[in-house]
């Protein structure tokens, strides 16, 4: 049975999800979804800006019956495009995601970025628009169209601003988090507020040779445990209760990435947590007001 986390509103979410960033094309998505379901994944993460919601929806509709699964057996996450910030645009965007994914509810919907498209990061209108988006998501959550709501790429500042105005505390904050970029203060704040911290870029960059996967500490722990560096990095997060969304187009890696039923020793956890590289591999939301 795959490990799950109980969100603050009682919704259960698998701790390991299948990430679909940069995965495009019907044939490829169908093949990967089948592999992922076979391997035991029951959570799939997409976004409007990934432009693959439709193919993912088709693949799930096709393969769920084959595995004896129903819609409610999988956890589907999508996200609001920065071009759709604001009350009405957000409402329409959720409708579009539902239609593309061919579902009548989403398990989790996130504001993908604290800024709005076409606005300068320093424009105070960013805050107004994301506040409007959040109010809309609260309504949709109350109506059951979205079972849980959250944010992505929100810094401490963005979260504290949101909580000044929100009726619902975000259930999830999806951010970059790995041993080369440990956001300890943000993690502690989220824990204190009952916000589940979910990591993306757990394996570093999507280039062939990720510096994180090549890190000597990571590779030496992996060698000692006879595991892949990716498994070590993913377990480093899940052992701390942090959700992960590994993405791969390699069937063997897809299978390995969910095989995390081992324990890192306190010393191994500590060594990985104290690398102090402070290297970000994705975009930086700190610039957004």
């Amino acid at each position: 049975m795959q490990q799950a986390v109980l969100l603050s509103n009682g919704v259960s979410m698998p701790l390991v999800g299948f990430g679909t960033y940069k995965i495009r094309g019907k044939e490829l998505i169908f093949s990967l979804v089948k592999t992922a379901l076979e391997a035991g994944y029951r959570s799939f993460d997409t976004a409007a800006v990934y432009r693959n919601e439709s193919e993912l929806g088709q693949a799930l509709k096709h393969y769920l019956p084959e595995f004896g699964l129903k819609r409610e057996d999988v956890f589907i996450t999508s996200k609001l495009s920065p071009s759709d910030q604001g009350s009405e645009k957000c409402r329409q965007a959720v409708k579009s995601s539902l239609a593309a994914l061919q579902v009548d509810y989403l398990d989790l919907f996130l504001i993908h970025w604290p800024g709005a498209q076409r606005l300068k990061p320093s424009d105070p209108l960013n805050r107004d628009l994301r506040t409007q988006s959040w109010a809309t998501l609260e309504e949709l959550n109350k109506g059951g169209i979205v079972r849980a709501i959250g944010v992505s790429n929100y810094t401490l500042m963005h979260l504290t601003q949101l909580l000044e105005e929100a009726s619902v505390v975000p259930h999830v904050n999806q951010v970059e988090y790995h041993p080369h970029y440990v956001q300890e203060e943000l993690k502690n704040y989220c824990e204190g507020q009952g916000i589940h911290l979910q990591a993306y870029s757990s394996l570093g960059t999507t280039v062939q040779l990720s510096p994180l996967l090549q890190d000597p500490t990571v590779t030496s722990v992996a060698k000692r445990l006879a595991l892949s560096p990716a498994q070590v990095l993913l377990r480093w997060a899940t052992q701390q209760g942090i959700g992960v969304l590994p993405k791969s187009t390699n069937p063997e890696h897809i299978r390995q990435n969910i095989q995390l039923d081992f324990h890192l020793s306190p010393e191994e956890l500590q060594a990985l947590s104290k690398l102090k590289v402070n290297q970000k591999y994705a975009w930086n939301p700190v610039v957004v007001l």
Side-chain angles (χ1 to χ4, degrees), residues 56-258:
L56 177 61
Q58 289 171 50
L60 287 170
K61 199 159 194 176
H62 180 83
Y63 286 117
L64 288 181
E66 194 175 302
F67 290 93
L69 299 168
K70 298 188 177 74
R71 160 67 186 99
E72 56 267 30
D73 296 322
V74 290
F75 192 98
I76 302 174
T77 300
S78 195
K79 310 181 196 83
L80 182 74
S81 165
S83 62
D84 291 324
Q85 290 273 27
S87 301
E88 202 43 48
K89 279 187 170 182
C90 176
R91 195 180 306 279
Q92 289 306 316
V94 172
K95 279 186 186 172
S96 296
S97 287
L98 290 167
L101 287 157
Q102 299 182 54
V103 293
D104 51 15
Y105 70 91
L106 287 163
D107 295 284
L108 177 63
F109 195 81
L110 308 175
I111 295 177
H112 204 158
W113 183 252
Q117 196 169 309
R118 291 183 293 277
L119 287 185
K120 287 182 177 173
S122 58
D123 194 324
L125 190 54
N126 283 306
R127 179 176 178 173
D128 294 342
L129 287 171
R130 65 178 177 259
T131 300
Q132 287 177 34
S133 298
W134 188 254
T136 299
L137 291 186
E138 287 185 342
E139 278 177 47
L140 296 171
N141 179 227
K142 199 174 177 181
I145 295 163
V146 181
R147 295 176 67 224
I149 54 176
V151 292
S152 182
N153 298 296
Y154 269 43
T155 64
L156 209 50
M157 181 198 78
H158 300 132
L159 284 176
T160 52
Q161 282 179 355
L162 174 59
L163 295 193
E164 284 168 20
E165 293 144 338
S167 303
V168 177
V169 175
H171 302 121
V172 173
N173 184 19
Q174 188 186 110
V175 296
E176 182 174 357
Y177 200 99
H178 47 70
H180 279 184
Y181 195 67
V182 178
Q183 301 193 66
E184 196 64 37
E185 193 184 4
L186 181 65
K187 177 177 175 277
N188 291 339
Y189 180 82
C190 286
E191 282 175 0
Q193 297 293 337
I195 302 168
H196 175 68
L197 193 77
Q198 188 178 49
Y200 70 75
S201 291
S202 294
L203 310 180
T205 62
T206 52
V207 295
Q208 199 65 40
L209 293 175
S210 160
L212 187 52
L213 289 169
Q214 309 294 311
D215 186 287
T217 304
V218 175
T219 55
S220 84
V221 172
K223 193 174 180 182
R224 193 157 60 243
L225 297 174
L227 296 162
S228 72
Q231 285 173 302
V232 167
L233 290 165
L234 294 167
R235 186 60 185 140
W236 171 83
T238 61
Q239 200 165 311
Q240 298 176 70
I242 297 167
V244 290
L245 301 161
K247 182 213 84 173
S248 179
T249 54
N250 177 314
E252 186 50 40
H253 291 169
I254 291 171
R255 287 187 279 271
Q256 281 180 353
N257 290 344
I258 201 171

